[in-house]
Structure formats: structure tokens, C-alpha cells
Amino acid sequence: MIAGIENIEKEISSVLKKYEILDNIEIRYSNLNNVDLQCNNLVKYSNNINLSSIKTDLISLIKENQLIESIEINEKNFINMNFSNQYFFEYSQSIAERIKHTQNYSIIFDYGGPNIGKDLHVGHIRTLNIGRSLYNIYKLAGNKVVSDIHFGDWGMPVAQIIAYIEHNNLDLEMLDYEDLETIYPKANQLSSENKDFYNTAKSIAMQLNSKNENYTKKWETVYNLAIPNIKTLLDKLRHKFDWYFGESDVVNETDLVVSKAIDEKRVKKDDGALISTQEVDPPILITKSDGSYLYLTTDLGTVLFRENKSSFDKYIYVVDSRQENHFKQLFTTVKHFGLSNSDFFHVGFGTINGSDNKPFKTRDGGVYKLNLLFEDIKEKLKKYNSDDQVLNTLTNTVLTYSDLLPNRNQNYIFDVDKFTDINGKTGIYIQYAQVRARKLLDSSTKPGSYNINYEINSEERNLLLLITKFDYFFNLSLINMEPHHLAEYLFNLSQAFNSFYTNNKIFSDKIPIETQINRIKIVEEFFKTISLVFNCLGIEAAESM
RNA sequence: GCUCUCGUAGCUCAAAUGGAUAGAGCAACAGACUUCUAAUCUGUAGGUUGUAGGUUCGAGUCCUACCGAGAGCGCCA
């Protein structure tokens, strides 16, 4: 989607129609230097007998178009065009307005998914960043969006914690959050080693489901210990959700899903467990042999819970790619059980690795907690600034931008030194460009408006061209649910601005006033655009650096 | 064994869903500060896109086979 070219496509189409060429005409940005747009439709008609008159007709028609400065059809029959200055002045403005009505769906985003007992760690970065970014992008496109954090606050993990506390006669009331963090890994390990302990935990999980008073009370204590802590860290990382529901909120719905499936004979017994009647390999397990619930069961209950709360056109789950099979099973079962008619998407992503290309750990091989990573990055950034607020913003920028830059399908290597450098494709580089523009605008008293007779130079042209390309990259990210297109664009935009900035002075007696006014207007449109991209990616702009 | 993701410059990554001469950033080399902050900018060099076929005007992109890396595969989440 390129802003403002629909009429040019129509014009080309009308010419080709006269010669009985009925192709769907597509104009695209060109990779070539010195060519803005290209149209490839004519290439395959090299043997058409009317070719030379087609060319003549096309050139004479397009030459009339005010948005196009030049058109050329080369020997291979590529149609090459360049934008006029008028195009840049017209389409570098009102970008946010243009994208506002791209879509109109009601969408729920399920991402984050922190678990009780496990502090947020490196593994949570991608779901949080990609989720927040897609939420923002879809919102800006005009959709009605809801985000739900989907806490992992139920089932075996929390039952294991309670079992461990009982097993070791710990006083639940005396525990603090740090204790909880050390308990869960131990409880989890014990559960896999000790059959009796495992059975105890499983029994607690079942009793929680049947609302046993004693365990519900203990669960509440654990919950109230863990959740505020998670929320505090999320706040520090600038993550907000519309809904903070968790697995614990959907217990009734999960019961309903299972009993309804039994009534409707959509499940059958298999070694005591319930499996879906869908003929798939492997079979889809709905409940364990003792009747207790699984990850999938709870997710089915969550769908019913959400259906009861509101109506969504799309469900988007931002969860790592390793769970692809789980989501395939979930989506097919949702349809099989008749729980929802909506479209379901799993947005997967790869793992974050260390420089050894193995999962990212601390130096001594432990789990890299997000809080610690935040502080480690912040420490590296102190060379740029001493203001704590600014440092927090920059730290969050590094955590976000570095993560959104690679294609989400791939694993990537988290290199703290590289990501905190001001040179290169980094969060610090883009913030610096933004701060430079901000300072120019702050010190400007000139009104911002274009003089369309102004002849632009190459740096100004590059910057304006990139600004008008926003729509294209926005749509690429939107349609593919891939924020990296906008992240890459953000770097190129910043780079074009820095080049413009270095080579074009504004506030100087030597610069004509008319040039000053036009340049300030360009800076203004750049600033509006980069702010919009920041918004899309979930990056907060630094006030100063 | 089956399924999924991936393989692009020394390193880290893009590449418009099939378009022209495959682009950036690091690192390397060579330049630019009396400045709206050089925290930047401007150049140079770097490639048989894992291998072999195929499809067509045209393939990093689609198809087939093979090689290599990572991940998942019934009662954890």
C-alpha cells in the first residue's frame, strides 16, 4: 500500500485496457537508485505488437499527473517513475489520519502470561514486546482491541508451591516474594523426582478446582504475594493491560466446557482420560485420567470466559513457536466443541540466545531475570546520561527495539554491548535522532508550513520520501503481524534524518528564511512520523539525552 | 522416526509475498568538528543466497531431493 498512487494505477490500467491488456496493475517502490516507483506489468508484453504506441500513450498520460515528476519506460519494459516535490509536500502530512480506518475488527490479544512463582525472565521479553507492539499497531489501524495478560496462576505450578509449603511445614503467612521464587523451582523438581509429592500436588490442584476452602485460602495468600510484584516490574517496563485475568478466573467456564463436551459426545474415554473425538494424531487430550485439567482444558475455558465477556472477531495469541502444536490443538478443539466462530491466530516467535547461540543465561548459567537484565543494561547506558528517568526510558528502548528488530520467527542473539551502542541499528541511535529533532522544534519560533515552490535537495528529498513510505511499512507489519518491518523502517528514517541534520543547517543568518521555514516543517513531519513509529513499537520517547 | 522453523557478506540481520545491479549495521580501511551536541556524517572494500535439479520472460523467494542447525512430538505449563 503506497499512499496516493491509486489514480496512477488507474491511469495505467485505462491505457492498457485499450490494448486489451486487463491485468491488475500494481505499482511498487523500486530498489533502484534514482527511481521511486516501478510498474512491472508491461514486462511480459515485450512481444505485443502495440508496444510502442502503448508506451507513447502511457508516457503522455502520466506526464500530466502532478504527483509524478518523470516517467520512463526502459528497454526491458519496466515503467519507472519519480515523485514530484508536490507529492512529498502533500503526503508527508497527516500520516496518522491515513491509517486510522485501515481495519475495523474487534480483537483480543493474549500475551505476557507470567506465572506465579517464576519471576519474569528473559523468556518473557518477546511475548511482551511483540504483543504490545501488535496491540498498538492494530489499535492505530482502527480496530477495537483488548489485551489480556493471562496469568499462569492455577493448576500444577501453584499446587506444587502449596504442596511444598505443607511438605516442609513452612509458615505461609511469614513468606515473602523472594521465598516464593526459590520455592517453585524446588517444588517443581521434587514433583518430578518424588511420586508421592507429585500425587499430593495433583490432589491439591483438583481440590482447588472443586473450591476446597482450605486450599483456596492458601492459594489467595500465594496469589497476593506474587501478583503485585509482577505488576510492579511490568510497570517499570511500561507494560499495561486492559485485562489482568488469569487461569484462576476461568475455573467455572472450564468445568462447563468439559461437561458440555461430554454431554454432546465430543469427547471419549481413553485409558481413563478424556480425549477429543476428532480423528487426529496424536489424539487431543482434554482431561487427565483422574479427571484433572490440563493446559489445553484451561485455555478452552478461557475462550468460553472471553466469549461470555465480549464478542471478538479475532483471537491473537502471542506465544513462542514451541507451543505451535498446542495452539493447533486448541484452535481445532474450539471449533469441534463449538465454543467460538471467531478467527484464531497463533503469533509465534523464536528464542533469545546468548553469544554462544544457546538460550540466554547469566554468566554463571542461571535464569536471567528481567529485573537484572534491566539493571545491567541501565548500567551500560550511564555513559550517555545521568538522569534516572531518561535512563529508564533508554533502558526500555534497548529492551524493546533490539527485540523487535529481528524477524520474530527467528531465534536471535542478545548482545548487550552491541544493543547499548549509539552507533548501529540500536534503540539509542533512534532515540538520539528523535531528541535532535525535538530540540530543533523546541528552539524554533517559525510557523510550520511548506512553501511548495521550494526546491528540495537530496537529503531533504530522502527524508521526505521515507516519511511518505510509512503507510507501506505499517501495513506490512499489520498484515503479517510482524513489527520488525516498522523497526527496520525506524532505523532508516532516523538515519535519513541524521544525514539531513548534519548537512543542512537551519538556524543561521546564512540560510534564507524561506529555507528555514521549509526545513523546520520537514523536521516537524519527521518528528510526527517517528513518534508514531515509536507508538507502534511501544517505545517511549526520551525528552533529552 | 514424524512435524515445524531456519540456512543470505568475517559477525548480527533485511529484502516489497516471483522483478532489474541481493541491501543495512557492526568489525576493517580512508575522510569531515570555528557545530542547531562529531553521541554524528561521507566514502571504500566485502556475495556462486547450504548443495543439486526443476517451474518461466524473470527465483534468495515457488516445487523435488539431499546436507546442516534449532525446536516440538498424551495425561507439565
Side-chain angles (χ1 to χ4, degrees), chain A residues 246-273:
Chain A
E247 296 174 326
S248 65
D249 292 297
V250 303
V251 178
N252 292 338
E253 285 76 6
T254 311
D255 287 342
L256 280 172
V257 166
V258 173
S259 58
K260 181 167 168 275
I262 293 171
D263 289 348
E264 294 175 356
K265 296 196 166 46
R266 301 194 193 277
V267 288
K268 61 185 179 190
K269 286 266 184 190
D270 187 276
D271 292 336

Side-chain angles (χ1 to χ4, degrees), chain A residues 458-482:
Chain A
S458 67
E459 286 97 14
E460 292 166 341
R461 191 179 199 281
N462 280 341
L463 183 53
L464 284 166
L465 176 60
L466 267 171
I467 290 172
T468 61
K469 283 187 177 180
F470 172 81
D471 308 49
Y472 173 75
F473 292 100
F474 180 81
N475 274 283
L476 217 49
S477 286
L478 180 77
I479 291 161
N480 298 309
M481 302 183 192
E482 292 173 344

Side-chain angles (χ1 to χ4, degrees), chain A residues 1 13 105-106 143 484 508:
Chain A
M1 184 192 274
S13 190
Y105 297 110
S106 160
N143 297 291
H484 79 271
S508 160

Side-chain angles (χ1 to χ4, degrees), chain A residues 281-324:
Chain A
D281 184 41
I284 300 172
L285 196 60
I286 306 297
T287 67
K288 299 185 208 176
S289 47
D290 64 358
S292 60
Y293 297 155
L294 292 145
Y295 183 27
L296 181 72
T297 332
T298 309
D299 271 0
L300 289 167
T302 304
V303 172
L304 181 58
F305 177 85
R306 289 171 178 166
E307 287 285 313
N308 289 340
K309 275 208 116 45
S310 185
S311 137
F312 299 104
D313 301 315
K314 296 173 195 279
Y315 281 67
I316 297 178
Y317 295 80
V318 184
V319 183
D320 79 272
S321 300
R322 288 175 296 196
Q323 299 189 31
E324 194 183 323

Side-chain angles (χ1 to χ4, degrees), chain A residues 340-356:
Chain A
S340 168
N341 295 319
S342 309
D343 291 326
F344 285 73
F345 301 90
H346 170 221
V347 175
F349 51 83
T351 56
I352 300 182
N353 295 340
S355 49
D356 57 355

